PDB file of all heavy atoms in Angstrom:
ATOM      1  N   ILE F1148      54.788 -82.284  27.430  1.00  0.00           N
ATOM      2  CA  ILE F1148      55.231 -83.652  27.732  1.00  0.00           C
ATOM      3  C   ILE F1148      55.997 -84.235  26.559  1.00  0.00           C
ATOM      4  O   ILE F1148      57.057 -84.852  26.729  1.00  0.00           O
ATOM      5  CB  ILE F1148      54.025 -84.536  28.089  1.00  0.00           C
ATOM      6  CG1 ILE F1148      53.330 -84.019  29.348  1.00  0.00           C
ATOM      7  CG2 ILE F1148      54.474 -85.983  28.300  1.00  0.00           C
ATOM      8  CD1 ILE F1148      52.048 -84.760  29.692  1.00  0.00           C
ATOM      9  N   ALA F1149      55.476 -84.043  25.335  1.00  0.00           N
ATOM     10  CA  ALA F1149      56.153 -84.565  24.148  1.00  0.00           C
ATOM     11  C   ALA F1149      57.517 -83.920  23.953  1.00  0.00           C
ATOM     12  O   ALA F1149      58.490 -84.591  23.575  1.00  0.00           O
ATOM     13  CB  ALA F1149      55.283 -84.335  22.909  1.00  0.00           C
ATOM     14  N   PHE F1150      57.619 -82.621  24.228  1.00  0.00           N
ATOM     15  CA  PHE F1150      58.894 -81.921  24.088  1.00  0.00           C
ATOM     16  C   PHE F1150      59.929 -82.469  25.067  1.00  0.00           C
ATOM     17  O   PHE F1150      61.088 -82.703  24.698  1.00  0.00           O
ATOM     18  CB  PHE F1150      58.688 -80.423  24.321  1.00  0.00           C
ATOM     19  CG  PHE F1150      59.951 -79.613  24.248  1.00  0.00           C
ATOM     20  CD1 PHE F1150      60.505 -79.279  23.021  1.00  0.00           C
ATOM     21  CD2 PHE F1150      60.593 -79.192  25.405  1.00  0.00           C
ATOM     22  CE1 PHE F1150      61.670 -78.537  22.949  1.00  0.00           C
ATOM     23  CE2 PHE F1150      61.760 -78.451  25.339  1.00  0.00           C
ATOM     24  CZ  PHE F1150      62.302 -78.123  24.109  1.00  0.00           C
ATOM     25  N   LEU F1151      59.516 -82.691  26.309  1.00  0.00           N
ATOM     26  CA  LEU F1151      60.432 -83.238  27.303  1.00  0.00           C
ATOM     27  C   LEU F1151      60.882 -84.648  26.923  1.00  0.00           C
ATOM     28  O   LEU F1151      62.052 -85.011  27.078  1.00  0.00           O
ATOM     29  CB  LEU F1151      59.767 -83.248  28.676  1.00  0.00           C
ATOM     30  CG  LEU F1151      59.449 -81.871  29.283  1.00  0.00           C
ATOM     31  CD1 LEU F1151      58.692 -82.026  30.599  1.00  0.00           C
ATOM     32  CD2 LEU F1151      60.725 -81.059  29.489  1.00  0.00           C
ATOM     33  N   LEU F1152      59.963 -85.442  26.402  1.00  0.00           N
ATOM     34  CA  LEU F1152      60.321 -86.790  25.953  1.00  0.00           C
ATOM     35  C   LEU F1152      61.325 -86.741  24.809  1.00  0.00           C
ATOM     36  O   LEU F1152      62.298 -87.504  24.778  1.00  0.00           O
ATOM     37  CB  LEU F1152      59.069 -87.548  25.508  1.00  0.00           C
ATOM     38  CG  LEU F1152      58.085 -87.960  26.598  1.00  0.00           C
ATOM     39  CD1 LEU F1152      56.832 -88.563  25.978  1.00  0.00           C
ATOM     40  CD2 LEU F1152      58.724 -88.944  27.568  1.00  0.00           C
ATOM     41  N   THR F1153      61.102 -85.831  23.869  1.00  0.00           N
ATOM     42  CA  THR F1153      61.997 -85.708  22.718  1.00  0.00           C
ATOM     43  C   THR F1153      63.399 -85.310  23.153  1.00  0.00           C
ATOM     44  O   THR F1153      64.400 -85.878  22.686  1.00  0.00           O
ATOM     45  CB  THR F1153      61.445 -84.677  21.722  1.00  0.00           C
ATOM     46  OG1 THR F1153      60.137 -85.086  21.295  1.00  0.00           O
ATOM     47  CG2 THR F1153      62.345 -84.566  20.501  1.00  0.00           C
ATOM     48  N   ARG F1154      63.487 -84.336  24.058  1.00  0.00           N
ATOM     49  CA  ARG F1154      64.801 -83.906  24.526  1.00  0.00           C
ATOM     50  C   ARG F1154      65.506 -85.024  25.289  1.00  0.00           C
ATOM     51  O   ARG F1154      66.714 -85.224  25.156  1.00  0.00           O
ATOM     52  CB  ARG F1154      64.661 -82.677  25.424  1.00  0.00           C
ATOM     53  CG  ARG F1154      64.039 -81.463  24.755  1.00  0.00           C
ATOM     54  CD  ARG F1154      64.842 -81.002  23.552  1.00  0.00           C
ATOM     55  NE  ARG F1154      66.195 -80.608  23.914  1.00  0.00           N
ATOM     56  CZ  ARG F1154      67.103 -80.182  23.059  1.00  0.00           C
ATOM     57  NH1 ARG F1154      66.806 -80.134  21.756  1.00  0.00           N
ATOM     58  NH2 ARG F1154      68.307 -79.827  23.469  1.00  0.00           N
ATOM     59  N   GLY F1155      64.754 -85.750  26.102  1.00  0.00           N
ATOM     60  CA  GLY F1155      65.351 -86.850  26.837  1.00  0.00           C
ATOM     61  C   GLY F1155      65.866 -87.953  25.930  1.00  0.00           C
ATOM     62  O   GLY F1155      66.970 -88.484  26.126  1.00  0.00           O
ATOM     63  N   MET F1156      65.093 -88.309  24.903  1.00  0.00           N
ATOM     64  CA  MET F1156      65.509 -89.347  23.968  1.00  0.00           C
ATOM     65  C   MET F1156      66.704 -88.893  23.138  1.00  0.00           C
ATOM     66  O   MET F1156      67.587 -89.693  22.808  1.00  0.00           O
ATOM     67  CB  MET F1156      64.344 -89.725  23.063  1.00  0.00           C
ATOM     68  CG  MET F1156      63.195 -90.411  23.777  1.00  0.00           C
ATOM     69  SD  MET F1156      63.619 -92.033  24.444  1.00  0.00           S
ATOM     70  CE  MET F1156      63.617 -93.023  22.956  1.00  0.00           C
ATOM     71  N   ARG F1157      66.754 -87.608  22.817  1.00  0.00           N
ATOM     72  CA  ARG F1157      67.901 -87.095  22.059  1.00  0.00           C
ATOM     73  C   ARG F1157      69.176 -87.159  22.899  1.00  0.00           C
ATOM     74  O   ARG F1157      70.254 -87.508  22.400  1.00  0.00           O
ATOM     75  CB  ARG F1157      67.633 -85.662  21.613  1.00  0.00           C
ATOM     76  CG  ARG F1157      68.699 -85.107  20.666  1.00  0.00           C
ATOM     77  CD  ARG F1157      68.232 -83.801  20.049  1.00  0.00           C
ATOM     78  NE  ARG F1157      67.023 -83.995  19.259  1.00  0.00           N
ATOM     79  CZ  ARG F1157      66.359 -83.002  18.685  1.00  0.00           C
ATOM     80  NH1 ARG F1157      66.773 -81.749  18.838  1.00  0.00           N
ATOM     81  NH2 ARG F1157      65.278 -83.244  17.978  1.00  0.00           N
ATOM     82  N   GLY F1158      69.070 -86.831  24.180  1.00  0.00           N
ATOM     83  CA  GLY F1158      70.231 -86.962  25.053  1.00  0.00           C
ATOM     84  C   GLY F1158      70.679 -88.402  25.198  1.00  0.00           C
ATOM     85  O   GLY F1158      71.882 -88.691  25.210  1.00  0.00           O
ATOM     86  N   LEU F1159      69.710 -89.319  25.279  1.00  0.00           N
ATOM     87  CA  LEU F1159      70.050 -90.746  25.356  1.00  0.00           C
ATOM     88  C   LEU F1159      70.739 -91.210  24.084  1.00  0.00           C
ATOM     89  O   LEU F1159      71.707 -91.986  24.133  1.00  0.00           O
ATOM     90  CB  LEU F1159      68.779 -91.562  25.597  1.00  0.00           C
ATOM     91  CG  LEU F1159      68.952 -93.084  25.686  1.00  0.00           C
ATOM     92  CD1 LEU F1159      69.876 -93.460  26.836  1.00  0.00           C
ATOM     93  CD2 LEU F1159      67.592 -93.755  25.832  1.00  0.00           C
ATOM     94  N   GLU F1160      70.266 -90.726  22.952  1.00  0.00           N
ATOM     95  CA  GLU F1160      70.889 -91.099  21.676  1.00  0.00           C
ATOM     96  C   GLU F1160      72.347 -90.641  21.621  1.00  0.00           C
ATOM     97  O   GLU F1160      73.241 -91.402  21.217  1.00  0.00           O
ATOM     98  CB  GLU F1160      70.114 -90.479  20.510  1.00  0.00           C
ATOM     99  CG  GLU F1160      70.710 -90.791  19.147  1.00  0.00           C
ATOM    100  CD  GLU F1160      70.076 -89.981  18.033  1.00  0.00           C
ATOM    101  OE1 GLU F1160      69.198 -89.143  18.327  1.00  0.00           O
ATOM    102  OE2 GLU F1160      70.477 -90.170  16.872  1.00  0.00           O
ATOM    103  N   LYS F1161      72.617 -89.414  22.043  1.00  0.00           N
ATOM    104  CA  LYS F1161      73.987 -88.904  22.034  1.00  0.00           C
ATOM    105  C   LYS F1161      74.880 -89.732  22.952  1.00  0.00           C
ATOM    106  O   LYS F1161      76.027 -90.042  22.609  1.00  0.00           O
ATOM    107  CB  LYS F1161      74.003 -87.437  22.465  1.00  0.00           C
ATOM    108  CG  LYS F1161      73.391 -86.489  21.456  1.00  0.00           C
ATOM    109  CD  LYS F1161      73.458 -85.044  21.950  1.00  0.00           C
ATOM    110  CE  LYS F1161      72.864 -84.089  20.919  1.00  0.00           C
ATOM    111  NZ  LYS F1161      72.905 -82.683  21.391  1.00  0.00           N
ATOM    112  N   LYS F1162      74.358 -90.083  24.107  1.00  0.00           N
ATOM    113  CA  LYS F1162      75.149 -90.853  25.060  1.00  0.00           C
ATOM    114  C   LYS F1162      75.477 -92.236  24.521  1.00  0.00           C
ATOM    115  O   LYS F1162      76.619 -92.704  24.602  1.00  0.00           O
ATOM    116  CB  LYS F1162      74.386 -90.967  26.377  1.00  0.00           C
ATOM    117  CG  LYS F1162      75.150 -91.702  27.469  1.00  0.00           C
ATOM    118  CD  LYS F1162      74.364 -91.712  28.764  1.00  0.00           C
ATOM    119  CE  LYS F1162      75.127 -92.461  29.860  1.00  0.00           C
ATOM    120  NZ  LYS F1162      74.372 -92.459  31.146  1.00  0.00           N
ATOM    121  N   LEU F1163      74.488 -92.896  23.927  1.00  0.00           N
ATOM    122  CA  LEU F1163      74.712 -94.244  23.406  1.00  0.00           C
ATOM    123  C   LEU F1163      75.637 -94.235  22.199  1.00  0.00           C
ATOM    124  O   LEU F1163      76.503 -95.102  22.063  1.00  0.00           O
ATOM    125  CB  LEU F1163      73.374 -94.888  23.044  1.00  0.00           C
ATOM    126  CG  LEU F1163      72.455 -95.250  24.221  1.00  0.00           C
ATOM    127  CD1 LEU F1163      71.128 -95.774  23.714  1.00  0.00           C
ATOM    128  CD2 LEU F1163      73.128 -96.262  25.132  1.00  0.00           C
ATOM    129  N   LYS F1164      75.475 -93.246  21.322  1.00  0.00           N
ATOM    130  CA  LYS F1164      76.328 -93.201  20.142  1.00  0.00           C
ATOM    131  C   LYS F1164      77.753 -92.805  20.500  1.00  0.00           C
ATOM    132  O   LYS F1164      78.698 -93.234  19.835  1.00  0.00           O
ATOM    133  CB  LYS F1164      75.736 -92.239  19.106  1.00  0.00           C
ATOM    134  CG  LYS F1164      74.496 -92.801  18.422  1.00  0.00           C
ATOM    135  CD  LYS F1164      74.115 -92.043  17.172  1.00  0.00           C
ATOM    136  CE  LYS F1164      73.004 -92.763  16.429  1.00  0.00           C
ATOM    137  NZ  LYS F1164      72.633 -92.097  15.167  1.00  0.00           N
ATOM    138  N   ALA F1165      77.906 -92.010  21.545  1.00  0.00           N
ATOM    139  CA  ALA F1165      79.264 -91.693  21.992  1.00  0.00           C
ATOM    140  C   ALA F1165      79.961 -92.946  22.506  1.00  0.00           C
ATOM    141  O   ALA F1165      81.178 -93.104  22.361  1.00  0.00           O
ATOM    142  CB  ALA F1165      79.222 -90.623  23.072  1.00  0.00           C
ATOM    143  N   GLY F1166      79.182 -93.870  23.069  1.00  0.00           N
ATOM    144  CA  GLY F1166      79.755 -95.093  23.594  1.00  0.00           C
ATOM    145  C   GLY F1166      80.267 -96.032  22.527  1.00  0.00           C
ATOM    146  O   GLY F1166      81.116 -96.880  22.786  1.00  0.00           O
ATOM    147  N   VAL F1167      79.728 -95.912  21.301  1.00  0.00           N
ATOM    148  CA  VAL F1167      80.192 -96.777  20.200  1.00  0.00           C
ATOM    149  C   VAL F1167      80.956 -95.982  19.148  1.00  0.00           C
ATOM    150  O   VAL F1167      81.180 -96.455  18.049  1.00  0.00           O
ATOM    151  CB  VAL F1167      79.003 -97.524  19.551  1.00  0.00           C
ATOM    152  CG1 VAL F1167      78.384 -98.488  20.528  1.00  0.00           C
ATOM    153  CG2 VAL F1167      77.960 -96.545  19.026  1.00  0.00           C
ATOM    154  N   GLY F1168      81.316 -94.743  19.497  1.00  0.00           N
ATOM    155  CA  GLY F1168      82.137 -93.944  18.602  1.00  0.00           C
ATOM    156  C   GLY F1168      81.422 -93.414  17.388  1.00  0.00           C
ATOM    157  O   GLY F1168      82.014 -93.225  16.329  1.00  0.00           O
ATOM    158  N   LYS F1169      80.090 -93.150  17.521  1.00  0.00           N
ATOM    159  CA  LYS F1169      79.321 -92.600  16.417  1.00  0.00           C
ATOM    160  C   LYS F1169      78.828 -91.224  16.776  1.00  0.00           C
ATOM    161  O   LYS F1169      78.698 -90.868  17.947  1.00  0.00           O
ATOM    162  CB  LYS F1169      78.124 -93.503  16.079  1.00  0.00           C
ATOM    163  CG  LYS F1169      78.517 -94.859  15.511  1.00  0.00           C
ATOM    164  CD  LYS F1169      77.277 -95.638  15.126  1.00  0.00           C
ATOM    165  CE  LYS F1169      77.630 -96.979  14.512  1.00  0.00           C
ATOM    166  NZ  LYS F1169      76.441 -97.735  14.102  1.00  0.00           N
ATOM    167  N   GLN F1170      78.516 -90.451  15.737  1.00  0.00           N
ATOM    168  CA  GLN F1170      78.002 -89.100  15.944  1.00  0.00           C
ATOM    169  C   GLN F1170      76.488 -89.138  15.955  1.00  0.00           C
ATOM    170  O   GLN F1170      75.871 -89.739  15.092  1.00  0.00           O
ATOM    171  CB  GLN F1170      78.483 -88.163  14.829  1.00  0.00           C
ATOM    172  CG  GLN F1170      78.034 -86.715  15.021  1.00  0.00           C
ATOM    173  CD  GLN F1170      78.562 -85.820  13.927  1.00  0.00           C
ATOM    174  OE1 GLN F1170      79.259 -86.280  13.033  1.00  0.00           O
ATOM    175  NE2 GLN F1170      78.214 -84.557  13.977  1.00  0.00           N
ATOM    176  N   ALA F1171      75.868 -88.533  16.956  1.00  0.00           N
ATOM    177  CA  ALA F1171      74.418 -88.507  17.036  1.00  0.00           C
ATOM    178  C   ALA F1171      73.843 -87.779  15.844  1.00  0.00           C
ATOM    179  O   ALA F1171      74.338 -86.737  15.424  1.00  0.00           O
ATOM    180  CB  ALA F1171      73.961 -87.827  18.333  1.00  0.00           C
ATOM    181  N   GLY F1172      72.779 -88.342  15.279  1.00  0.00           N
ATOM    182  CA  GLY F1172      72.143 -87.747  14.119  1.00  0.00           C
ATOM    183  C   GLY F1172      72.557 -88.387  12.825  1.00  0.00           C
ATOM    184  O   GLY F1172      71.919 -88.200  11.801  1.00  0.00           O
ATOM    185  N   ALA F1173      73.637 -89.175  12.843  1.00  0.00           N
ATOM    186  CA  ALA F1173      74.056 -89.869  11.638  1.00  0.00           C
ATOM    187  C   ALA F1173      73.266 -91.151  11.510  1.00  0.00           C
ATOM    188  O   ALA F1173      73.140 -91.908  12.461  1.00  0.00           O
ATOM    189  CB  ALA F1173      75.552 -90.195  11.703  1.00  0.00           C
ATOM    190  N   GLY F1174      72.689 -91.392  10.364  1.00  0.00           N
ATOM    191  CA  GLY F1174      71.874 -92.571  10.136  1.00  0.00           C
ATOM    192  C   GLY F1174      72.716 -93.813  10.077  1.00  0.00           C
ATOM    193  O   GLY F1174      73.932 -93.783   9.903  1.00  0.00           O
ATOM    194  N   ALA F1175      71.998 -94.968  10.211  1.00  0.00           N
ATOM    195  CA  ALA F1175      72.704 -96.242  10.211  1.00  0.00           C
ATOM    196  C   ALA F1175      73.350 -96.508   8.873  1.00  0.00           C
ATOM    197  O   ALA F1175      74.384 -97.154   8.771  1.00  0.00           O
ATOM    198  CB  ALA F1175      71.730 -97.380  10.553  1.00  0.00           C
ATOM    199  N   GLY F1176      72.740 -95.995   7.807  1.00  0.00           N
ATOM    200  CA  GLY F1176      73.279 -96.265   6.484  1.00  0.00           C
ATOM    201  C   GLY F1176      74.017 -95.084   5.888  1.00  0.00           C
ATOM    202  O   GLY F1176      74.132 -94.962   4.668  1.00  0.00           O
ATOM    203  N   ALA F1177      74.498 -94.182   6.744  1.00  0.00           N
ATOM    204  CA  ALA F1177      75.194 -93.003   6.229  1.00  0.00           C
ATOM    205  C   ALA F1177      76.450 -93.423   5.471  1.00  0.00           C
ATOM    206  O   ALA F1177      77.215 -94.262   5.913  1.00  0.00           O
ATOM    207  CB  ALA F1177      75.580 -92.080   7.385  1.00  0.00           C
ATOM    208  N   ALA F1178      76.626 -92.819   4.318  1.00  0.00           N
ATOM    209  CA  ALA F1178      77.767 -93.189   3.485  1.00  0.00           C
ATOM    210  C   ALA F1178      79.042 -92.595   4.040  1.00  0.00           C
ATOM    211  O   ALA F1178      79.068 -91.466   4.529  1.00  0.00           O
ATOM    212  CB  ALA F1178      77.534 -92.699   2.056  1.00  0.00           C
ATOM    213  N   ARG F1179      80.109 -93.364   3.978  1.00  0.00           N
ATOM    214  CA  ARG F1179      81.406 -92.884   4.433  1.00  0.00           C
ATOM    215  C   ARG F1179      82.040 -92.069   3.317  1.00  0.00           C
ATOM    216  O   ARG F1179      82.119 -92.501   2.177  1.00  0.00           O
ATOM    217  CB  ARG F1179      82.310 -94.073   4.802  1.00  0.00           C
ATOM    218  CG  ARG F1179      83.687 -93.659   5.283  1.00  0.00           C
ATOM    219  CD  ARG F1179      84.522 -94.874   5.656  1.00  0.00           C
ATOM    220  NE  ARG F1179      83.879 -95.589   6.773  1.00  0.00           N
ATOM    221  CZ  ARG F1179      84.342 -96.743   7.229  1.00  0.00           C
ATOM    222  NH1 ARG F1179      85.397 -97.323   6.684  1.00  0.00           N
ATOM    223  NH2 ARG F1179      83.712 -97.347   8.232  1.00  0.00           N
ATOM    224  N   GLN F1180      82.486 -90.875   3.658  1.00  0.00           N
ATOM    225  CA  GLN F1180      83.079 -90.003   2.656  1.00  0.00           C
ATOM    226  C   GLN F1180      84.446 -90.537   2.244  1.00  0.00           C
ATOM    227  O   GLN F1180      85.257 -90.898   3.102  1.00  0.00           O
ATOM    228  CB  GLN F1180      83.241 -88.576   3.223  1.00  0.00           C
ATOM    229  CG  GLN F1180      81.906 -87.898   3.518  1.00  0.00           C
ATOM    230  CD  GLN F1180      81.102 -87.676   2.278  1.00  0.00           C
ATOM    231  OE1 GLN F1180      81.665 -87.454   1.201  1.00  0.00           O
ATOM    232  NE2 GLN F1180      79.785 -87.752   2.388  1.00  0.00           N
TER     233      GLN F1180
END
Side-chain angles (χ1 to χ4, degrees):
I1148 298 174
F1150 178 78
L1151 294 176
L1152 290 174
T1153 301
R1154 299 301 299 179
M1156 293 294 284
R1157 187 169 298 175
L1159 179 60
E1160 179 190 2
K1161 290 181 179 179
K1162 183 177 180 179
L1163 291 175
K1164 287 195 172 183
V1167 295
K1169 293 184 178 181
Q1170 183 178 0
R1179 180 179 298 175
Q1180 294 296 328

